[in-house]
Coordinates of all heavy atoms in Angstrom, one line a residue:
P1155 N -15.6 -13.4 -9.5 CA -16.3 -14.7 -9.2 C -15.4 -15.6 -8.5 O -14.2 -15.9 -9.0 CB -16.7 -15.2 -10.7 CG -16.7 -14.0 -11.6 CD -15.6 -13.1 -11.0
G1156 N -15.9 -16.1 -7.4 CA -15.1 -17.1 -6.5 C -13.8 -16.5 -5.8 O -13.1 -17.3 -5.1
K1157 N -13.7 -15.2 -5.8 CA -12.5 -14.6 -5.2 C -13.0 -13.4 -4.3 O -14.2 -12.9 -4.4 CB -11.5 -14.1 -6.1 CG -10.9 -15.2 -6.9 CD -9.9 -14.5 -7.9 CE -9.2 -15.5 -8.8 NZ -8.2 -14.9 -9.7
R1158 N -12.2 -13.0 -3.4 CA -12.5 -11.8 -2.5 C -11.7 -10.6 -2.9 O -11.3 -9.9 -2.2 CB -12.1 -12.2 -1.1 CG -12.9 -13.5 -0.4 CD -14.3 -13.3 -0.5 NE -14.9 -12.3 0.4 CZ -16.1 -11.9 0.4 NH1 -17.0 -12.5 -0.4 NH2 -16.5 -11.0 1.2
E1159 N -11.4 -10.6 -4.3 CA -10.7 -9.4 -4.8 C -11.7 -8.6 -5.7 O -12.7 -9.1 -6.2 CB -9.6 -9.9 -5.8 CG -8.5 -10.7 -5.1 CD -7.5 -11.3 -6.2 OE1 -7.9 -11.0 -7.4 OE2 -6.6 -11.8 -5.9
T1160 N -11.5 -7.4 -5.7 CA -12.3 -6.4 -6.5 C -11.7 -6.3 -7.9 O -10.5 -6.4 -8.1 CB -12.3 -5.1 -5.9 OG1 -13.4 -4.2 -6.6 CG2 -11.0 -4.3 -5.9
W1161 N -12.6 -6.1 -8.8 CA -12.3 -6.0 -10.3 C -12.5 -4.4 -10.7 O -12.1 -4.1 -11.8 CB -13.1 -6.8 -11.2 CG -14.6 -6.5 -11.1 CD1 -15.5 -7.2 -10.2 CD2 -15.4 -5.5 -11.8 NE1 -16.8 -6.7 -10.4 CE2 -16.7 -5.7 -11.2 CE3 -15.2 -4.6 -12.7 CZ2 -17.8 -4.9 -11.7 CZ3 -16.2 -3.8 -13.1 CH2 -17.4 -3.8 -12.7
L1162 N -13.1 -3.6 -9.8 CA -13.4 -2.3 -10.1 C -12.7 -1.3 -9.0 O -13.0 -1.6 -7.8 CB -14.8 -2.1 -10.1 CG -15.3 -0.6 -10.4 CD1 -14.8 -0.1 -11.6 CD2 -16.8 -0.5 -10.3
F1163 N -12.1 -0.4 -9.4 CA -11.5 0.6 -8.4 C -12.1 1.9 -8.7 O -11.8 2.6 -9.7 CB -9.9 0.7 -8.6 CG -9.2 1.6 -7.5 CD1 -8.8 0.9 -6.4 CD2 -9.2 2.8 -7.6 CE1 -8.1 1.5 -5.4 CE2 -8.6 3.5 -6.6 CZ -8.0 2.9 -5.5
S1164 N -13.1 2.2 -8.0 CA -13.8 3.5 -8.1 C -14.3 4.0 -6.7 O -14.3 3.3 -5.7 CB -14.9 3.4 -9.0 OG -16.1 2.7 -8.4
R1165 N -14.8 5.1 -6.7 CA -15.4 5.7 -5.5 C -16.5 4.9 -5.0 O -16.6 4.8 -3.8 CB -15.8 7.2 -5.8 CG -16.9 7.7 -4.9 CD -17.2 9.1 -5.5 NE -18.5 9.4 -4.8 CZ -19.3 10.5 -5.3 NH1 -18.9 11.2 -6.3 NH2 -20.4 10.8 -4.7
F1166 N -17.2 4.2 -5.8 CA -18.5 3.5 -5.3 C -18.1 2.1 -5.0 O -18.9 1.3 -4.5 CB -19.5 3.6 -6.4 CG -20.1 4.9 -6.6 CD1 -19.7 5.7 -7.7 CD2 -21.0 5.3 -5.7 CE1 -20.3 6.9 -7.9 CE2 -21.5 6.7 -5.8 CZ -21.2 7.5 -7.0
S1167 N -16.8 1.7 -5.2 CA -16.5 0.3 -5.0 C -15.4 0.2 -3.8 O -15.4 -0.7 -3.0 CB -16.0 -0.5 -6.1 OG -14.9 0.1 -6.6
T1168 N -14.4 1.1 -3.8 CA -13.3 1.2 -2.9 C -13.4 2.4 -2.0 O -12.5 2.6 -1.1 CB -12.0 1.1 -3.5 OG1 -11.9 2.1 -4.5 CG2 -11.8 -0.3 -4.2
G1169 N -14.3 3.4 -2.2 CA -14.3 4.6 -1.5 C -13.3 5.5 -1.9 O -12.9 5.5 -3.1
W1170 N -13.0 6.5 -1.1 CA -11.9 7.5 -1.5 C -10.5 7.1 -1.1 O -9.8 7.8 -0.5 CB -12.3 8.8 -0.8 CG -13.6 9.4 -1.2 CD1 -14.7 9.4 -0.4 CD2 -14.0 10.0 -2.5 NE1 -15.8 10.1 -1.0 CE2 -15.3 10.3 -2.3 CE3 -13.3 10.3 -3.6 CZ2 -16.1 11.0 -3.4 CZ3 -14.0 10.9 -4.6 CH2 -15.4 11.3 -4.4
S1171 N -10.2 5.9 -1.6 CA -8.8 5.2 -1.2 C -7.7 6.2 -1.6 O -6.7 6.1 -1.0 CB -8.7 3.9 -1.8 OG -9.8 3.1 -1.5
C1172 N -7.8 6.8 -2.7 CA -6.6 7.7 -3.1 C -6.9 9.1 -3.0 O -6.3 10.0 -3.6 CB -6.3 7.3 -4.6 SG -5.7 5.6 -4.9
G1173 N -7.9 9.5 -2.2 CA -8.2 10.9 -2.0 C -9.4 11.4 -2.8 O -9.8 10.7 -3.7
L1174 N -9.9 12.5 -2.3 CA -11.0 13.1 -3.1 C -10.7 13.6 -4.4 O -9.8 14.4 -4.6 CB -11.5 14.3 -2.2 CG -12.8 15.0 -2.5 CD1 -14.0 14.0 -2.5 CD2 -13.0 16.2 -1.8
H1175 N -11.5 13.1 -5.5 CA -11.2 13.4 -6.8 C -9.7 13.3 -7.4 O -9.2 14.2 -7.8 CB -11.8 14.8 -7.2 CG -13.3 14.9 -7.0 ND1 -14.1 14.2 -7.8 CD2 -14.0 15.7 -6.2 CE1 -15.4 14.5 -7.4 NE2 -15.3 15.4 -6.5
A1176 N -9.3 12.1 -7.1 CA -7.8 11.8 -7.4 C -7.6 12.0 -8.9 O -8.4 11.5 -9.6 CB -7.5 10.5 -6.9
D1177 N -6.5 12.6 -9.3 CA -6.2 12.8 -10.7 C -5.4 11.6 -11.3 O -5.1 10.7 -10.4 CB -5.5 14.1 -11.0 CG -4.2 14.3 -10.4 OD1 -3.6 13.3 -9.9 OD2 -3.7 15.3 -10.4
W1178 N -5.0 11.6 -12.5 CA -4.3 10.5 -13.2 C -3.0 10.2 -12.4 O -2.7 9.0 -12.2 CB -3.9 10.8 -14.6 CG -3.1 9.9 -15.3 CD1 -1.8 9.9 -15.5 CD2 -3.5 8.6 -15.8 NE1 -1.3 8.9 -16.1 CE2 -2.4 8.0 -16.3 CE3 -4.8 7.9 -15.9 CZ2 -2.4 6.8 -16.9 CZ3 -4.8 6.7 -16.4 CH2 -3.6 6.1 -17.0
T1179 N -2.2 11.2 -12.1 CA -1.0 11.0 -11.3 C -1.2 10.4 -9.9 O -0.5 9.3 -9.6 CB -0.3 12.4 -11.2 OG1 -0.1 12.9 -12.4 CG2 1.1 12.1 -10.5
E1180 N -2.2 10.8 -9.2 CA -2.4 10.3 -7.9 C -2.9 8.8 -8.0 O -2.4 8.0 -7.2 CB -3.4 11.2 -7.2 CG -2.9 12.5 -6.8 CD -4.2 13.4 -6.4 OE1 -5.2 13.2 -6.9 OE2 -3.8 14.3 -5.6
L1181 N -3.9 8.5 -9.0 CA -4.3 7.2 -9.2 C -3.1 6.3 -9.6 O -3.0 5.1 -9.2 CB -5.4 7.1 -10.2 CG -6.8 7.7 -9.7 CD1 -7.7 7.7 -10.9 CD2 -7.3 6.8 -8.5
T1182 N -2.3 6.7 -10.5 CA -1.2 5.9 -11.0 C -0.2 5.5 -9.8 O 0.2 4.3 -9.8 CB -0.4 6.7 -12.0 OG1 -1.3 7.0 -13.1 CG2 0.8 5.8 -12.7
N1183 N -0.1 6.4 -8.9 CA 0.8 6.1 -7.8 C 0.2 5.4 -6.7 O 0.7 4.5 -6.0 CB 1.4 7.4 -7.2 CG 2.3 8.0 -8.2 OD1 3.0 7.4 -9.0 ND2 2.4 9.4 -8.1
C1184 N -1.0 5.5 -6.5 CA -1.9 5.0 -5.3 C -2.5 3.6 -5.6 O -2.5 2.8 -4.7 CB -3.0 6.0 -5.1 SG -4.2 5.5 -3.7
V1185 N -3.1 3.4 -6.8 CA -3.9 2.2 -7.0 C -3.1 0.8 -6.8 O -3.6 0.0 -6.1 CB -4.5 2.3 -8.5 CG1 -5.2 0.9 -8.7 CG2 -5.5 3.3 -8.5
P1186 N -2.0 0.7 -7.3 CA -1.2 -0.6 -7.1 C -1.1 -0.9 -5.6 O -1.2 -2.0 -5.2 CB 0.2 -0.4 -7.7 CG -0.1 0.6 -8.8 CD -1.2 1.6 -8.3
S1187 N -0.6 0.2 -4.8 CA -0.4 -0.1 -3.4 C -1.8 -0.3 -2.6 O -1.7 -1.2 -1.7 CB 0.3 1.1 -2.8 OG -0.6 2.2 -2.8
V1188 N -2.8 0.2 -3.0 CA -4.1 -0.1 -2.3 C -4.6 -1.3 -2.7 O -5.0 -2.2 -1.8 CB -5.1 1.1 -2.7 CG1 -6.5 0.7 -2.1 CG2 -4.7 2.4 -2.1
V1189 N -4.6 -1.7 -3.9 CA -5.1 -3.0 -4.5 C -4.4 -4.2 -4.1 O -4.9 -5.2 -3.6 CB -5.4 -3.0 -6.1 CG1 -5.8 -4.4 -6.5 CG2 -6.5 -1.9 -6.4
D1190 N -3.1 -4.0 -4.1 CA -2.2 -5.2 -3.9 C -1.5 -5.1 -2.5 O -0.4 -5.7 -2.4 CB -1.1 -5.3 -5.0 CG -1.8 -5.5 -6.4 OD1 -2.8 -6.2 -6.3 OD2 -1.3 -5.1 -7.3
N1191 N -2.0 -4.3 -1.5 CA -1.3 -4.2 -0.3 C -1.0 -5.4 0.5 O -0.1 -5.5 1.2 CB -2.0 -3.1 0.5 CG -3.4 -3.6 1.0 OD1 -3.8 -4.6 0.5 ND2 -4.0 -2.8 1.8
K1192 N -1.9 -6.4 0.3 CA -1.7 -7.6 1.1 C -0.8 -8.6 0.4 O -0.6 -9.7 1.0 CB -3.1 -8.2 1.4 CG -3.9 -7.4 2.2 CD -5.2 -8.0 2.5 CE -6.1 -7.1 3.5 NZ -7.0 -6.2 2.7
K1193 N -0.4 -8.4 -0.8 CA 0.4 -9.3 -1.6 C 1.8 -9.0 -1.5 O 2.2 -7.8 -1.4 CB -0.1 -9.3 -3.0 CG -1.4 -10.0 -3.3 CD -1.7 -9.9 -4.8 CE -3.1 -10.5 -5.0 NZ -3.5 -10.6 -6.4
E1194 N 2.6 -10.0 -1.5 CA 4.1 -9.7 -1.6 C 4.4 -9.1 -3.0 O 3.6 -9.4 -4.0 CB 4.9 -11.1 -1.5 CG 4.8 -11.6 -0.2 CD 5.6 -12.9 0.0 OE1 6.7 -12.9 -0.6 OE2 5.2 -13.7 0.9
V1195 N 5.4 -8.5 -3.2 CA 5.8 -7.8 -4.4 C 5.9 -8.8 -5.5 O 5.4 -8.6 -6.6 CB 7.1 -6.9 -4.2 CG1 7.6 -6.4 -5.6 CG2 7.0 -5.9 -3.2
R1196 N 6.5 -10.0 -5.3 CA 6.7 -10.9 -6.4 C 5.4 -11.6 -6.8 O 5.2 -12.2 -7.9 CB 7.7 -12.1 -5.9 CG 7.3 -12.8 -4.8 CD 8.4 -13.8 -4.4 NE 8.0 -14.7 -3.3 CZ 7.2 -15.7 -3.3 NH1 6.7 -16.2 -4.5 NH2 6.8 -16.4 -2.2

């Protein structure tokens, strides 16, 4: 609400951002970089 950020990371909201049927390891490594790619690390 009131932001341009997503609250859900799934195939139906972000597409196949981490690959087709990504497993736990792939999601753990991929999600932070995809969701926060525009933000500085701090």
Side-chain angles (χ1 to χ4, degrees):
K1157 297 182 181 179
R1158 303 301 293 171
E1159 297 175 351
T1160 187
W1161 58 268
L1162 175 66
F1163 192 93
S1164 79
R1165 161 185 162 190
F1166 293 104
S1167 63
T1168 58
W1170 298 108
S1171 303
C1172 293
L1174 183 67
H1175 293 299
D1177 65 10
W1178 174 259
T1179 306
E1180 292 167 330
L1181 286 175
T1182 303
N1183 295 329
C1184 171
V1185 170
S1187 62
V1188 171
V1189 172
D1190 299 325
N1191 65 353
K1192 295 181 180 100
K1193 294 183 181 178
E1194 291 182 32
V1195 175
R1196 63 181 181 83

